[in-house]
């Protein structure tokens, strides 16, 4: 401690200021490092909220004294408090998605509430609840539901109810199946609403048509997705044999985009079936007597007019048979939805077999015919090849050009961030700067402090005798002829020389060189 005090006293004013400034800078750096080390990492709390909803969340965080940070449209909190903060906000009904729901009805009282006010609040609550249900899907980022209910009038029975839903997709567009499901959801929640009366609007792609609407046609995106899926399957299948990047596949699907209703009626005349039979028989029988000659007696009332006549009998019969037959008849009605495949065309180009000779030359040979035939069968099986439909598969083996080497070769990085993050690198740099400052402005000035003043020649003028030639005559400090003051100075000088030999040699060197410099100057 005494040595430190003596070293501090030996420094001049400038060096003392440097040491004090370095100590303060080192202290500040240590405080900053301590704060950075003690600062907890931030985690994402919510992102993509509406401005009003985000303002409500920030207001609750400020009231709860929870440290947070806003970065663009995202809110970050400490990672250790993220889950508890989310649960606390959920208890308060935040963030509110899709507007308010049935809680609107909780704030209404019977006093001062008219029927019109209650109906308006009810439909607002219904819209909010539907929007919340729709937002439960991860593919939808925002949703708004509007229900149009005309006012009820006296003696009115049928009231047309319509609705519209505006959706904002999270990434891709809304597909037809998902839109149809939302239509049925909204129609089922509102009495008297049909699914076709629900208008679906995509905020990115516009109106979403109804599935099966006349003139709407199929969704072209579904056909493209089907073709892309078949192409990916073929490339994966061929890459397992020829290797990745050595097979190029192009696939085209020709689909019928028209909706058709086909009705067939087939009658087979050869197939008769008796369904009824009628048999009718008719018999007639008649008898009579023939007339004789005409005389006077035959004209008299009591005359024998019939005498001499002849008798006759007649019998007739008729049979009728009627049979009813039915011919077999077949009726068929088919509804052909749009999107039916009419033809599939596939073009596959395969690279050949490449060998590298001993001298480094590249030799290319086409693939054998047996392998090409086997690959063709695999491609036909993968696409569901139908010759009657007109499908076509073209498979060729051609040489792929070798692209020139561009850029630099990828190599492992020679330097990686310590700790794997930029914050760790910054902390390491700050520690290095602090260590450098401590070495330059604290340790180095203390080590380079000036030596204590040594007695000069004038201090020893009475204790050291000089001869005429300049030789130094050793003085004995125990000589009683010397004064006590001189004896004390000689003892101090010897002690100082024993303790600090290097500094003593430096002083002697200066004394020796001083006369030479003065002679050279003259």
């Amino acid at each position: 401690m005494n040595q430190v005090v003596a070293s501090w006293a030996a420094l001049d004013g400038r060096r003392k200021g440097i040491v004090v400034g370095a100590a303060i800078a080192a202290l500040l750096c240590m405080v900053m490092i301590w704060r950075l080390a003690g600062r907890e990492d931030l985690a994402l709390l919510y992102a993509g909220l509406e401005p009003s909803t985000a303002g409500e969340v920030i207001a609750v965080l400020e009231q709860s004294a929870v440290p947070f940070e806003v970065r663009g449209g995202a809110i970050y909190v400490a990672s250790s408090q993220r889950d508890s903060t989310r649960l606390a906000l959920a208890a308060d009904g935040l963030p509110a998605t899709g507007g308010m729901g049935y809680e609107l009805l909780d704030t209404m009282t019977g006093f001062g509430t008219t029927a019109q006010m209650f109906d308006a609040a009810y439909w607002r609550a219904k819209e909010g609840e539907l929007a919340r249900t729709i937002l439960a899907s991860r593919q939808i980022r925002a949703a708004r539901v509007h229900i149009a209910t005309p006012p009820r009038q006296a003696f009115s029975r049928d009231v047309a109810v319509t609705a519209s839903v505006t959706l904002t997709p999270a990434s891709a567009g809304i597909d037809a199946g998902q839109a149809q499901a939302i239509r049925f959801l909204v129609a089922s929640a509102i009495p008297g609403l049909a699914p076709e009366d629900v208008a679906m609007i995509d905020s990115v792609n516009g109106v979403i048509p109804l599935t099966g609407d006349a003139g709407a046609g199929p969704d072209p995106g579904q056909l493209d997705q089907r073709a892309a899926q078949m192409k990916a399957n073929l490339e994966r299948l061929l890459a397992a044999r020829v290797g990745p990047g050595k097979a190029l596949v192009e696939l085209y699907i020709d689909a019928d985009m028209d909706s058709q209703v086909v009705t067939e009626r087939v009658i087979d005349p050869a197939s008769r079936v008796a369904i009824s039979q009628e048999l009718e028989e008719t018999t007639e029988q008649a008898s009579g007597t023939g007339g004789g000659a005409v005389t006077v007696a035959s004209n008299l009332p009591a005359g024998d007019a019939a005498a001499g006549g002849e008798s006759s009998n007649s019998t007739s019969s008729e049979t009728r048979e009627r049979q009813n037959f039915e011919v077999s008849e077949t009726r068929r009605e088919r509804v052909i939805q749009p999107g039916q495949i009419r033809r599939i065309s596939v073009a596959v180009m395969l690279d050949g077999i490449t060998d590298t000779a001993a001298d480094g030359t590249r030799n290319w040979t086409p693939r054998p015919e047996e392998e090409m035939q086997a690959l063709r069968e695999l491609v036909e099986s993968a696409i569901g090849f139908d010759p009657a439909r007109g499908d076509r598969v073209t498979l060729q083996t051609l040489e792929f050009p070798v692209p020139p080497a561009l850029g630099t070769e990828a190599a492992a990085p020679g330097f990686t961030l310590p700790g794997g993050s930029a914050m760790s690198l910054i902390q390491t740099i700050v520690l290095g700067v602090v260590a450098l400052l401590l070495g330059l402005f604290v340790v180095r000035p203390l080590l380079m402090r000036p030596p204590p003043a040594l007695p000069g020649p004038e201090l020893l003028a009475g204790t050291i005798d000089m001869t005429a030639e300049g030789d130094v005559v050793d003085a004995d400090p125990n000589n009683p002829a010397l004064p006590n003051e001189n004896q004390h100075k000689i003892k101090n000088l010897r002690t100082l020389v024993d303790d600090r030999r290097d500094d003593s040699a430096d002083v002697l060197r200066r004394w020796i060189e001083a006369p030479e410099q003065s002679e050279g100057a003259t």
Side-chain angles (χ1 to χ4, degrees):
M1 188 65 182
N2 295 331
Q3 186 177 359
V4 174
V5 174
S7 300
W8 175 261
L11 297 176
D12 56 0
R14 184 179 64 85
R15 293 188 177 184
K16 287 182 179 180
I18 294 175
V19 172
V20 172
I24 294 175
L27 181 60
L28 292 177
C29 291
M30 295 300 295
V31 170
M32 292 178 60
I33 294 173
W34 176 77
R35 292 189 60 183
L36 290 175
R39 185 177 181 181
E40 192 173 4
D41 295 336
L42 298 179
L44 177 63
L45 181 64
Y46 292 112
L49 299 178
E50 295 183 358
S52 58
T53 305
E56 295 176 357
V57 172
I58 292 175
V60 174
L61 293 178
E62 291 177 349
Q63 294 177 1
S64 304
V66 176
F68 66 92
E69 183 178 346
V70 179
R71 301 176 184 175
I75 303 175
Y76 290 82
V77 297
S79 57
S80 60
Q81 300 180 0
R82 181 190 62 180
D83 297 335
S84 59
T85 304
R86 284 183 177 177
L87 294 177
L89 291 173
D92 296 336
L94 293 176
T97 57
M100 300 184 66
Y102 287 131
E103 59 268 18
L104 282 172
L105 304 180
D106 298 336
T107 59
M108 299 185 65
T109 59
F111 182 76
T113 302
T114 62
Q116 291 80 5
M117 294 173 58
F118 181 81
D119 290 342
Y122 173 77
W123 289 115
R124 283 183 58 197
K126 180 73 73 174
E127 293 173 354
E129 291 294 333
L130 288 173
R132 288 180 179 179
T133 305
I134 296 172
L135 285 176
S137 177
R138 295 183 178 179
Q139 288 79 15
I140 299 174
R141 186 166 55 114
R144 292 292 302 274
V145 180
H146 301 278
I147 303 174
T149 55
R152 293 184 177 273
Q153 298 178 359
F155 306 104
S156 63
R157 295 182 178 180
D158 298 334
V159 178
V161 181
T162 59
S164 61
V165 181
T166 303
L167 303 175
T168 301
S171 56
I174 307 297
D175 56 1
Q178 190 173 10
Q180 189 70 8
I182 296 175
R183 280 194 180 95
F184 279 99
L185 171 67
V186 176
S188 301
I190 302 173
L193 180 61
E196 56 270 14
D197 293 333
V198 180
M200 302 292 298
I201 295 93
D202 189 346
S203 60
V204 178
N205 301 321
V207 179
I208 304 176
L210 280 170
T211 304
D213 282 351
D219 186 7
Q222 294 182 356
L223 189 62
D224 295 340
Q225 292 178 1
R226 187 174 182 180
Q229 183 64 32
M230 295 178 65
K231 178 182 177 181
N233 294 337
L234 289 176
E235 290 178 349
R236 185 175 66 254
L237 181 67
L238 296 173
R241 170 59 185 173
V242 300
K246 294 188 177 182
L248 297 179
V249 180
E250 290 295 333
L251 187 142
Y252 173 72
I253 298 178
D254 184 11
D256 188 1
M257 298 302 178
D258 298 331
S259 179
Q260 301 178 3
V261 178
V262 180
T263 303
E264 296 180 1
R265 182 181 179 186
V266 180
I267 299 176
D268 187 5
S271 59
R272 297 185 305 167
V273 178
I275 59 174
S276 63
Q277 184 178 2
E278 297 180 0
L279 181 61
E280 181 181 357
E281 295 182 358
T282 303
T283 303
E284 294 181 358
Q285 185 175 5
S287 60
T289 303
V294 178
T295 60
V296 176
S298 61
N299 292 325
L300 293 176
D304 190 4
E310 297 180 358
S311 62
S312 60
N313 296 321
S314 63
T315 303
S316 63
S317 61
E318 181 180 359
T319 302
R320 294 181 180 181
E321 183 177 2
R322 180 184 299 172
Q323 291 183 351
N324 296 327
F325 295 90
E326 284 288 345
V327 181
S328 63
E329 179 182 358
T330 304
R331 295 177 180 268
R332 297 189 183 94
E333 183 175 348
R334 294 186 305 163
V335 178
I336 302 177
Q337 297 292 341
Q340 300 294 325
I341 297 178
R342 292 186 296 193
R343 184 176 64 257
I344 299 178
S345 301
V346 182
V348 180
M349 184 171 63
L350 302 174
D351 194 5
I353 302 174
T354 304
D355 297 331
T356 304
D359 56 354
T361 59
R362 181 173 178 269
N363 299 324
W364 182 89
T365 56
R367 295 186 178 275
E369 187 63 28
E370 295 80 4
E371 182 181 3
M372 296 294 294
Q373 185 63 29
L375 294 177
R376 179 184 294 275
E377 294 178 358
L378 290 176
V379 172
E380 292 178 354
S381 301
I383 65 173
F385 182 77
D386 187 4
R389 192 171 55 188
D391 296 347
R392 182 177 181 182
V393 176
T394 303
L395 193 67
Q396 297 291 338
T397 173
L398 300 173
E399 183 178 3
F400 285 15
V402 179
L406 300 176
T408 57
E409 183 179 1
F415 173 75
T416 57
L417 294 177
S421 63
M423 184 58 65
S424 300
L425 177 62
I426 294 174
Q427 293 178 359
T428 304
I429 294 175
V430 172
L431 287 175
V433 171
V434 171
L436 182 61
L437 291 175
L438 289 175
L440 291 178
F441 299 105
V442 178
V443 180
R444 187 171 179 270
L446 293 177
L447 294 178
M448 297 183 63
R449 64 182 182 274
L454 296 176
E458 64 280 357
L459 188 61
L460 303 177
T463 58
I464 301 178
D465 296 333
M466 295 288 184
T467 62
E469 291 78 14
D471 297 332
V472 178
V473 179
D474 190 9
D476 187 4
N478 297 324
N479 189 357
L482 295 175
N484 293 331
E485 184 179 358
N486 294 339
Q487 292 179 2
H488 181 67
K489 291 181 178 180
I490 292 175
K491 289 181 180 180
N492 291 339
L493 180 60
R494 286 184 176 180
T495 303
L496 184 60
V497 169
D498 293 336
D499 294 339
R500 305 185 65 175
R501 296 179 181 274
D502 296 338
D503 295 337
S504 302
D506 188 27
V507 172
L508 293 175
R509 181 178 58 80
R510 293 178 183 177
W511 289 350
I512 295 171
E513 293 177 356
E516 296 178 358
Q517 293 178 359
S518 61
E519 291 176 0
T522 56

